[in-house]
Amino acid sequence: MLPLQLVDSFLLDYNVGQALLLGFVLATVATLPLSRQVLALNTILFGVIFLLTPQTLVPVHYLFLGIVLVVVGPLLYVTADS
């Protein structure tokens, strides 16, 4: 377990949107070997998270990223093999 001060000092240089983007990239890489449906659900989930994040914490371009992910996620899910 990492001490809380170490995590806090690392995150002070970044905003919430950048931390969420890092989480999205890591989760996407982790779901690549599983299936495209899981990848699509991951994309939809992070799209909703980006949409629901308060705009006082992140710049506005993360809202647009959330909109794109919410649109692309269902397209990935529909085109995925079962």
Side-chain angles (χ1 to χ4, degrees):
M1 222 42 208
L2 291 173
L4 187 58
Q5 292 82 11
L6 180 66
V7 175
D8 187 42
S9 64
F10 174 74
L11 289 178
L12 282 176
D13 298 333
Y14 303 103
N15 62 28
V16 174
Q18 291 169 332
L20 287 174
L21 187 61
L22 177 66
F24 172 65
V25 169
L26 292 176
T28 301
V29 169
T31 59
L32 282 177
L34 299 176
S35 71
R36 281 182 59 187
Q37 287 180 340
V38 175
L39 178 67
L41 293 173
N42 179 47
T43 304
I44 295 169
L45 175 70
F46 271 95
V48 170
I49 289 173
F50 278 117
L51 283 175
L52 294 178
T53 304
Q55 292 302 308
T56 57
L57 297 177
V58 295
V60 71
H61 57 271
Y62 290 106
L63 172 68
F64 297 127
L65 175 63
I67 293 170
V68 168
L69 292 177
V70 167
V71 170
V72 169
L75 292 174
L76 280 172
Y77 192 83
V78 169
T79 60
D81 296 332
S82 47

